[in-house]
Amino acid sequence: MVKVGIVGATGAVGKEILSVLHDRKFAVTSVHLFASARSAGKTLDTPFGPLQVQLFTVEAARAMDYVFLAVSGSFALEHAEAIAAPGGAVVIDNSSAFRMQPNVPLVIPEINGAAIGTKKLIANPNCTTAIAVMALWPLHCHYGIEKMIVSTYQASSGAGVEGMEELFNTTREALDNPDKTPSNKVFAHPLAFNVIPHIDVFQPNGFTKEEMKVTWETNKIFDETNMKISCTAVRIPILRAHSEAITIKTKRPITPADARALLSKADGVDVVDDPAANKYPMPLNATAKYNIEVGRIRQSIVFDEYGLDLFVSGDQLLRGAALNAVLIAEYLEKPYPSKFSKQIK
Amino acid sequence: MVKVGIVGATGAVGKEILSVLHDRKFAVTSVHLFASARSAGKTLDTPFGPLQVQLFTVEAARAMDYVFLAVSGSFALEHAEAIAAPGGAVVIDNSSAFRMQPNVPLVIPEINGAAIGTKKLIANPNCTTAIAVMALWPLHCHYGIEKMIVSTYQASSGAGVEGMEELFNTTREALDNPDKTPSNKVFAHPLAFNVIPHIDVFQPNGFTKEEMKVTWETNKIFDETNMKISCTAVRIPILRAHSEAITIKTKRPITPADARALLSKADGVDVVDDPAANKYPMPLNATAKYNIEVGRIRQSIVFDEYGLDLFVSGDQLLRGAALNAVLIAEYLEKPYPSKFSKQIK
């Protein structure tokens, strides 16, 4: 008897959670969609058949085994702890509200599932972080990542269904009327045929919160306190897969060939690195795919034998959100150790 | 009496050269368009009025004062030296053919115009390099850039008019038929709503030639031999302005405020760095503009007080090609010293 509840089932992430649960044959006995009074009573077509949206109450949510929160941080802050309180449900929260709270595990199951312990409120990482760490964890375990520079190529889906629709609509505007600047509502500026180096709010140090999330969350997931990470997070006019150009400085010497061999053993990661055949990670192929892609692995010119440059692409809504959330629930049903563990300090 | 010839006037760069020459009131007495027999005799509408295309011959080109080559490297290799031989014209070549030849100056006039000396064959730098060094030169002079990591966001115009048209046409295809993968001819993969981490051919070290150009050409323009630069060059679905996320490691301590103050004195550079007002460099604003934009200047988390992260955008066809070529000719008409010179070794 596994009862699953989803809050935010009409959003981009909520829809994908339903689809992933169904596709992976997660052993649910019933699926419950929760929403505010405004949406309660509506019927939604889902992979589990038509489901009627129920009014969200903490009591109703507590009656579930798992509750996926695919809504805002403020909703999570208000309700997550009450749902997860003793006797309640396991809460897997996709917002950033609890990610950096010391008593809340921030989890990529293949990396640090063991960090969950007996906790019942679990945070799902930021999408950019989640995609990158899939490729970085094996490297960190074997070579010790000391420093890292990340530049992102982030899709419109990071701003939800509204973001994806705005990109489509304004791109058409721009094509039909090239002399007019396209409009914008969801993004700070028009995104069609543009790039915007601004995601989430600016922090006092000049970095955006999105950029600092990569620094903060990677350290927490890897159980480190002092990996130095500088990120530039950039929104670009694509649909739903994020890419990242990453430079790492390692403690032990590393070669591209060794990195490829190691990464080819990792779950959730496809090494796509055959330049001679024009094969490298791209949103075109990473979209709608569970595994992230890593490639363009080369010896860093800046850090020589102690560094690599690489490129990753991953579906923002899957590994970056819904898939990882469902994998957390799967882990709790059947825990497993990480394939990799830290070989060096 | 200044006679100017352009080879490749119907291409994306050639058209911009005509437009920049006219806009900047470069003192031409006549403008000559040269092409192969296939195009000779046609009449082109230009800012200088309708001009008939002449058959290219080395003799006809040698009769000019300046010849702009906006064609392939193989054409340049075949003819550039003959045109520039004693008694001939000054040749400003936009291809990569001669850029790294020790006896050919590679020039950004505001930085190293003095490197031209008495040479008559001058190479115009790679677009990505040209845009970045505008912001990097003042910083290098005052703080000494030792290492650099660059990730690029490059527009379709880097592949000429054909690239821009392919982006437009395939974007419309993708909008009209979202379930079908758009086509591609110019680019190695479909570019609409995709990113392609592959520009120019792959080198034995795993970097592309485009990436190595940033390393090689920056060193040459700055008259350095050992600045370590790792670049990841990525094509994204935008029209004609390149952006770059850049991390620098300096020899002397540097602060964002000092960098902003210094860069605000540079010619050809607009400091656009007011996050609170949502102001930062973007292709949307950098397009069709002579100055490059620099912003998002912040203290690097990786290199602490010896490093900065920054973001630049610049028009690929202007500073990245046509404008810089015309500025080389302007420099030769009236030389001037760089505003900045190296303060530290």
Side-chain angles (χ1 to χ4, degrees):
Chain A
M1 290 291 287
V2 179
K3 288 186 282 185
V4 168
I6 300 169
V7 188
T10 57
V13 173
K15 269 187 199 161
E16 291 295 334
I17 289 174
L18 280 163
S19 154
V20 172
L21 282 169
H22 187 263
D23 177 59
R24 294 185 64 87
K25 302 182 174 54
F26 187 77
V28 295
T29 44
S30 61
V31 176
H32 304 256
L33 312 183
F34 295 109
S36 62
R38 197 165 50 93
S39 300
K42 286 184 188 167
T43 299
L44 234 63
D45 278 323
T46 81
F48 297 95
L51 291 175
Q52 200 178 42
V53 179
Q54 300 171 235
L55 182 68
F56 171 81
T57 66
V58 169
E59 268 323 294
R62 283 174 57 80
M64 302 290 111
D65 294 290
Y66 296 99
V67 172
F68 294 96
L69 296 185
V71 282
S72 69
S74 56
F75 184 97
L77 278 176
E78 195 175 341
H79 300 297
E81 285 171 308
I83 303 169
V90 168
V91 175
I92 300 166
D93 177 28
N94 198 58
S95 84
S96 65
F98 293 97
R99 288 183 194 148
M100 293 312 296
Q101 292 209 5
N103 59 333
V104 175
L106 178 68
V107 173
I108 303 275
E110 293 95 328
I111 297 175
N112 67 336
I116 298 174
T118 57
K119 294 287 178 9
K120 288 180 61 194
L121 169 54
I122 302 155
N124 206 33
N126 165 266
C127 46
T128 309
T129 308
I131 290 163
V133 295
M134 290 305 295
L136 295 170
W137 174 242
L139 301 176
H140 183 55
C141 285
H142 284 255
Y143 300 94
I145 298 176
E146 212 171 57
K147 299 177 180 187
M148 194 159 103
I149 292 118
V150 181
S151 301
T152 75
Y153 302 73
Q154 293 184 233
S156 57
S157 59
V161 173
E162 296 77 14
M164 295 159 86
E165 280 172 1
E166 179 161 306
L167 173 62
F168 266 150
N169 295 337
T170 58
T171 301
R172 198 178 280 282
E173 272 179 46
L175 288 174
D176 291 344
N177 201 343
D179 295 328
K180 203 177 146 277
T181 301
S183 58
N184 65 295
K185 250 190 196 169
V186 176
F187 300 109
H189 299 275
L191 182 58
F193 301 109
N194 191 24
V195 314
I196 308 174
H198 173 189
I199 302 176
D200 211 333
V201 295
F202 283 98
Q203 308 293 294
N205 67 354
F207 287 80
T208 60
K209 200 169 173 194
E210 180 80 4
E211 290 160 353
M212 293 312 300
K213 282 175 186 171
V214 175
T215 305
W216 298 330
E217 297 187 17
T218 304
N219 270 286
K220 180 163 178 178
I221 294 166
F222 287 1
D223 193 21
E224 298 289 347
T225 52
N226 203 22
M227 277 180 64
K228 291 181 167 190
I229 305 174
S230 250
C231 175
T232 303
V234 182
R235 187 79 69 195
I236 65 165
I238 67 169
L239 206 57
R240 59 173 275 181
H242 287 356
S243 301
E244 304 173 50
I246 303 175
T247 297
I248 57 170
K249 158 90 172 66
T250 55
K251 290 178 187 162
R252 283 178 55 191
I254 186 169
T255 70
D258 288 349
R260 270 180 222 114
L262 185 65
L263 288 168
S264 66
K265 292 180 207 151
D267 293 324
V269 175
D270 289 339
V271 177
V272 181
D273 198 10
D274 185 1
N278 286 349
K279 288 187 178 160
Y280 25 72
M282 291 194 302
L284 184 68
N285 301 325
T287 295
K289 187 167 136 172
Y290 285 164
N291 286 5
I292 68 111
E293 298 188 344
V294 58
R296 294 295 325 272
I297 302 172
R298 53 216 197 275
Q299 199 82 57
S300 162
I301 292 172
V302 165
F303 296 120
D304 302 309
E305 70 266 38
Y306 289 91
L308 290 182
D309 292 334
L310 44 94
F311 196 76
V312 298
S313 290
D315 191 299
Q316 188 269 328
L317 295 172
L318 292 175
R319 173 57 68 176
L323 172 68
N324 198 70
V326 172
L327 290 177
I328 290 173
E330 287 186 7
Y331 178 93
L332 288 168
E333 290 294 305
K334 197 179 170 185
Y336 52 89
S338 175
K339 263 200 183 175
F340 304 92
S341 59
K342 289 185 201 171
Q343 303 297 310
I344 56 167
K345 292 293 157 194
Chain B
M1 290 290 288
V2 178
K3 288 186 281 183
V4 167
I6 299 170
V7 188
T10 57
V13 173
K15 269 187 198 161
E16 290 295 333
I17 289 174
L18 280 163
S19 154
V20 172
L21 282 169
H22 186 263
D23 178 58
R24 294 184 63 88
K25 303 183 174 54
F26 187 76
V28 295
T29 43
S30 61
V31 176
H32 303 255
L33 312 184
F34 295 109
S36 61
R38 196 165 52 93
S39 299
K42 287 183 188 168
T43 298
L44 233 64
D45 277 325
T46 80
F48 297 95
L51 290 176
Q52 201 179 41
V53 179
Q54 301 170 235
L55 182 68
F56 171 82
T57 65
V58 169
E59 267 324 293
R62 283 175 58 79
M64 303 290 111
D65 293 289
Y66 297 98
V67 172
F68 294 96
L69 297 184
V71 281
S72 69
S74 56
F75 184 96
L77 279 176
E78 195 176 342
H79 299 297
E81 285 170 309
I83 304 170
V90 167
V91 175
I92 300 167
D93 177 29
N94 198 56
S95 84
S96 65
F98 292 96
R99 288 183 194 147
M100 294 312 296
Q101 292 208 6
N103 59 333
V104 175
L106 177 68
V107 173
I108 303 275
E110 293 94 328
I111 298 175
N112 68 336
I116 299 175
T118 58
K119 294 287 178 6
K120 289 179 61 192
L121 168 54
I122 302 155
N124 206 34
N126 164 266
C127 46
T128 309
T129 308
I131 290 163
V133 295
M134 291 304 296
L136 295 171
W137 173 242
L139 301 175
H140 184 55
C141 285
H142 283 256
Y143 300 95
I145 298 175
E146 212 171 57
K147 300 178 179 187
M148 195 158 102
I149 292 119
V150 181
S151 301
T152 75
Y153 302 73
Q154 293 185 232
S156 58
S157 59
V161 173
E162 296 77 15
M164 296 159 85
E165 280 172 1
E166 179 161 306
L167 174 63
F168 266 149
N169 295 338
T170 58
T171 300
R172 198 178 281 281
E173 272 179 45
L175 288 174
D176 290 345
N177 200 344
D179 295 329
K180 201 176 147 279
T181 301
S183 57
N184 64 296
K185 251 192 198 167
V186 176
F187 300 108
H189 299 275
L191 182 59
F193 301 110
N194 190 25
V195 314
I196 308 174
H198 172 190
I199 302 177
D200 210 333
V201 295
F202 284 97
Q203 307 293 294
N205 66 354
F207 287 80
T208 60
K209 199 169 173 195
E210 180 79 5
E211 290 161 353
M212 293 312 300
K213 282 175 186 170
V214 174
T215 305
W216 298 330
E217 296 187 17
T218 304
N219 270 286
K220 179 163 178 177
I221 294 166
F222 286 2
D223 192 22
E224 297 290 347
T225 51
N226 203 24
M227 278 180 64
K228 291 182 167 189
I229 305 174
S230 251
C231 175
T232 303
V234 181
R235 186 78 71 194
I236 66 166
I238 67 169
L239 206 58
R240 58 173 274 182
H242 287 356
S243 300
E244 304 173 50
I246 302 175
T247 297
I248 58 170
K249 158 90 172 66
T250 55
K251 290 178 188 163
R252 283 177 55 191
I254 186 168
T255 70
D258 289 349
R260 269 179 223 114
L262 184 64
L263 287 169
S264 66
K265 293 181 207 151
D267 293 324
V269 175
D270 289 340
V271 177
V272 181
D273 198 11
D274 186 0
N278 286 350
K279 288 187 178 161
Y280 25 73
M282 291 195 302
L284 184 67
N285 300 326
T287 295
K289 188 168 136 173
Y290 286 164
N291 286 5
I292 69 111
E293 299 188 343
V294 58
R296 295 296 324 273
I297 301 172
R298 53 217 197 275
Q299 199 83 56
S300 163
I301 293 173
V302 165
F303 297 120
D304 302 310
E305 70 266 39
Y306 290 91
L308 291 183
D309 293 332
L310 44 93
F311 196 77
V312 299
S313 290
D315 191 299
Q316 188 269 328
L317 295 172
L318 292 174
R319 173 56 69 177
L323 172 68
N324 197 71
V326 171
L327 290 177
I328 289 171
E330 288 185 8
Y331 178 93
L332 288 169
E333 291 294 304
K334 196 180 171 187
Y336 52 90
S338 174
K339 262 199 180 174
F340 303 93
S341 59
K342 291 185 199 171
Q343 303 299 309
I344 55 168
K345 293 289 158 197

